[in-house]
Amino acid sequence: MDLEFNKNEDHFKQLCALLKDKKKKVQLGGGEKKINEQHEKGKLTARERIEYLRDRDSAFLEIGLFAGEGMYAEQGGCPSGGVVAGIGFIKGRQCVIVANDATVKAGAWFPITAKKNLRAQEVAMENRLPIVYLVDSAGVFLPMQDEIFPDKEHFGRQFRNNARMSSMGIVQIAAIMGSCVAGGAYLPIMSDEAMIVDKTGSIFLAGSYLVKAAIGEDIDNETLGGATTHCEISGVTDNKFPNDQACLDYIKNLFDKMGHAEQAGFDRQTPHPPTEKQEDIYGIFPHDRVKPYDMHEIIKRLTDHSDFDEYKPLYGKTLLCGYARIDGWAVGIIANQRKTVKTKKGEMQMGGVIYSDSADKAARFIMNCNQRKIPLVFLQDVSGFMVGSRAEHGGIIKDGAKMVNAMANSTVPKFTFIIGNSYGAGNYAMCGKAYDPRLIYAWPTAQMAVMSGSSAAKTLLQIRVSSLKAKGKTISAEEEKNLLKEITDRYNDQLSPYYAASRLWVDGVIDPMETRQVISMGIAAANHVPIEKFNVGVIQT
């Protein structure tokens, strides 16, 4: 191992250690004290409920773990958006599970909570997966109601999704395991089956205090909307149970008797690990994000047997395209290349830039994968499309449009991993969030923005200085230096993968060693839905 490899490895492992620490902290939700309070009430926490419900030793792919990270400081924070969500297995059947975390502001809904719930429902709808709601929420966080209540992608959208999923035949099961208040009461009752835990579960449009204020009626919450009321009088819920465990056992029994879905038919063989050591990724991926490396070496540590059948290897070399298997599943891989190569004019560094020939190759490859029903995996380390007169005269806009058109119209599932840079239109062409990847995750080394930190900071500085000069103000060299640092630090904070994850621009931040499992879980989920015929639309040639 050379010195550069060791430096890269040390840096990457430090980032993974930070990731591990952040995960542990977020997974505590509202903290040990709040967890103990749940236990004193005879309740399990959201994570304990999911752990009890899903199959023992089965995989659970969490979605939005870092939602809300660094947000809502004035309100005391909202770890994980106050809700735990992900893809898991119940009685061998893959499903989406969503559990309100009552240790975080009594499970109240922040704006990011709504966005995360909608993302979980989106995953269920795209993959036709059953969804389980474990409800324990005080309702909308009133101080921020204007940011969660009235708009299209706000709180009410989840009920619209309830109705849409019902019409699509997607099974929805709800368990009321704590508070379920006001508009939130519609979510479990618009599900196919709703159960409630006695004494701890309650559901009503208005609690006892509001009832007293509105109509002058004196009544306690249990009589108003407890398990006995809704199972024996109103018929709102279907069954009541003495505790969380009994309620979750019933859900398991429901899953045990479900029929099986029609499949898309993605090809899978016996899984095999890579022959190359996966941990070498830590040393191969450069600490300095302008240094070249060979993406082939990354791919070989992700694919079964380290095999990669490359498509057009001698053409369009700034994008690697090829076929492989990951955990047994056939996949088509599209990855940016940052390697230094020898040309007739000498050495040239491929700094993750997409050229015309690369875009043209990728468009053709995407069409091939759609024709053959092969899911697509995008590995992003991209600076953008090539600029300059030579690129423009060569039709970079036309060829870039070809790639984006083919990718946007792709009907096979797409999975995106931001492993390095993700700048500008390169983010779009490599299936960024706006292009509906089934799952999108970032490595701790990821950065996402319109442009790199240094380029953006210099541009923003020029704008700021020009603005000050226009107002007749002068700025010294020292002041300009300090201003540049201030702008750079702020912009770099926004480049962080955790900044992206907190806003659900990505589904999470993962250790590279988890990449294969994410892809496998994602394709298994996508395999529940027969794919539509691919129609690329109009492409200029």
Side-chain angles (χ1 to χ4, degrees):
M1 298 294 177
D2 60 20
L3 181 61
E4 191 65 29
F5 183 99
N6 290 336
K7 284 182 178 179
N8 292 338
E9 184 178 45
D10 288 345
H11 176 71
F12 212 137
K13 286 186 174 180
Q14 286 175 21
L15 292 177
C16 288
L18 176 63
L19 169 62
K20 190 175 180 180
D21 289 343
K22 280 180 171 288
K23 279 184 175 180
K24 284 183 179 179
K25 183 179 179 181
V26 170
Q27 287 169 348
L28 286 173
E32 295 285 359
K33 182 181 177 182
K34 292 292 183 181
I35 291 172
N36 291 335
E37 288 176 4
Q38 287 286 101
H39 292 162
E40 287 168 6
K41 295 175 183 176
K43 297 165 66 176
L44 300 174
T45 65
R47 293 187 180 277
E48 289 168 344
R49 287 167 179 164
I50 291 174
E51 185 68 22
Y52 185 92
L53 181 61
R54 66 187 184 88
D55 295 346
R56 184 172 295 178
D57 298 324
S58 66
F60 180 69
L61 178 59
E62 187 157 355
I63 294 169
L65 172 65
F66 294 110
E69 170 85 2
M71 299 167 67
Y72 314 119
E74 292 181 3
Q75 289 77 26
C78 185
S80 214
V83 63
V84 183
I87 303 173
F89 292 87
I90 301 174
K91 292 295 181 178
R93 287 165 172 78
Q94 206 171 21
C95 63
V96 174
I97 306 173
V98 182
N100 297 113
D101 187 351
T103 71
V104 180
K105 295 289 190 295
W109 284 61
F110 283 67
I112 197 65
T113 316
K115 188 173 183 178
K116 184 170 175 177
N117 258 45
L118 293 176
R119 174 60 179 145
Q121 289 182 322
E122 181 182 46
V123 170
M125 294 168 79
E126 285 180 332
N127 299 292
R128 303 294 195 275
L129 293 178
I131 184 167
V132 178
Y133 306 103
L134 305 179
V135 184
D136 193 347
S137 171
V140 168
F141 185 66
L142 286 176
M144 304 187 77
Q145 66 85 28
D146 62 320
E147 297 181 48
I148 188 175
F149 170 67
D151 209 347
K152 181 179 179 179
E153 299 295 334
H154 282 178
F155 189 72
R157 187 76 171 184
Q158 66 177 332
F159 312 130
R160 176 264 191 191
N161 287 348
N162 284 143
R164 292 288 300 127
M165 282 191 276
S166 181
S167 72
M168 295 164 69
I170 297 171
V171 175
Q172 300 175 83
I173 295 171
I176 300 156
M177 312 184 84
S179 297
C180 187
V181 184
Y186 288 103
L187 183 141
I189 308 311
M190 290 185 74
S191 298
D192 302 301
E193 195 157 348
M195 52 226 64
I196 187 168
V197 179
D198 198 17
K199 306 306 180 200
T200 55
S202 60
I203 178 169
F204 32 64
L205 294 182
S208 56
Y209 290 117
L210 187 54
V211 167
K212 174 68 174 176
I215 63 173
E217 181 183 3
D218 282 309
I219 190 169
D220 63 88
N221 282 339
E222 183 63 26
T223 306
L224 181 66
T228 298
T229 295
H230 286 309
C231 285
E232 299 180 20
I233 301 173
S234 72
V236 166
T237 51
D238 303 309
N239 285 292
K240 68 176 179 178
F241 299 91
N243 53 47
D244 285 6
Q245 291 87 340
C247 184
L248 297 170
D249 285 336
Y250 183 78
I251 296 175
K252 293 181 187 181
N253 291 337
L254 292 178
F255 268 81
D256 194 40
K257 298 169 182 65
M258 283 185 193
H260 294 275
E262 186 180 355
Q263 294 194 331
F266 302 128
D267 188 65
R268 192 182 196 189
Q269 295 182 359
T270 303
H272 293 279
T275 53
E276 299 289 344
K277 187 179 177 183
Q278 290 185 69
E279 290 79 5
D280 283 350
I281 288 174
Y282 300 136
I284 293 167
F285 196 87
H287 171 202
D288 186 342
R289 55 185 59 249
V290 301
K291 283 193 174 180
Y293 66 98
D294 189 353
M295 181 63 84
H296 289 96
E297 297 303 318
I298 301 292
I299 292 172
K300 286 193 291 186
R301 286 156 177 82
L302 297 175
T303 62
D304 292 11
H305 294 303
S306 297
D307 290 338
F308 181 58
D309 300 323
E310 193 166 353
Y311 172 76
K312 289 182 178 287
L314 303 178
Y315 178 75
K317 293 183 179 181
T318 63
L319 275 179
L320 304 184
C321 300
Y323 308 100
R325 289 190 182 275
I326 293 178
D327 199 39
W329 294 103
V331 297
I333 297 174
I334 301 175
N336 302 109
Q337 176 65 296
R338 237 202 300 161
K339 185 181 178 184
T340 300
V341 297
K342 291 182 179 180
T343 67
K344 292 178 181 179
K345 296 182 179 180
E347 288 192 343
M348 179 181 73
Q349 182 178 327
M350 298 176 173
V353 178
I354 302 175
Y355 287 78
S356 285
D357 53 358
S358 303
D360 175 67
K361 177 173 79 170
R364 292 168 183 266
F365 180 72
I366 290 167
M367 287 188 263
N368 286 349
C369 287
N370 274 269
Q371 184 186 48
R372 301 167 197 176
K373 294 209 298 190
I374 300 174
L376 290 163
V377 174
F378 292 82
L379 302 178
Q380 284 198 18
D381 188 0
V382 58
S383 301
F385 284 89
M386 190 59 190
V387 296
S389 61
R390 186 174 178 182
E392 297 293 357
H393 296 171
I396 186 65
I397 297 174
K398 177 186 68 177
D399 290 320
K402 283 185 197 177
M403 180 180 174
V404 171
N405 198 327
M407 182 271 300
N409 284 295
S410 175
T411 56
V412 296
K414 307 181 292 266
F415 303 92
T416 301
F417 297 87
I418 302 171
I419 72 172
N421 301 329
S422 181
Y423 300 148
N427 169 279
Y428 297 162
M430 292 293 291
C431 195
K433 179 73 170 180
Y435 292 85
D436 296 326
R438 292 294 177 94
L439 295 170
I440 177 170
Y441 282 84
W443 287 3
T445 45
Q447 287 191 352
M448 192 188 315
V450 171
M451 62 181 73
S452 69
S454 58
S455 298
K458 289 173 184 175
T459 303
L460 290 168
L461 177 66
Q462 289 173 0
I463 294 170
R464 185 80 68 86
V465 170
S466 297
S467 176
L468 290 170
K469 287 181 177 178
K471 295 176 182 177
K473 297 179 181 178
T474 58
I475 182 169
S476 68
E478 185 64 25
E479 288 172 329
E480 189 171 320
K481 180 182 176 182
N482 292 336
L483 187 55
L484 177 61
K485 184 181 184 306
E486 176 192 325
I487 293 170
T488 302
D489 289 346
R490 185 173 67 251
Y491 195 87
N492 283 340
D493 285 342
Q494 295 174 3
L495 289 172
S496 164
Y498 299 104
Y499 189 92
S502 72
R503 288 151 181 81
L504 290 173
W505 300 343
V506 295
D507 292 318
V509 183
I510 60 169
D511 186 307
M513 300 303 107
E514 299 173 83
T515 307
R516 281 170 52 87
Q517 184 190 58
V518 172
I519 294 169
S520 183
M521 285 278 284
I523 298 176
N527 203 34
H528 289 80
V529 191
I531 61 173
E532 301 172 6
K533 183 179 178 182
F534 176 65
N535 184 354
V536 76
V538 178
I539 290 186
Q540 285 186 300
T541 58

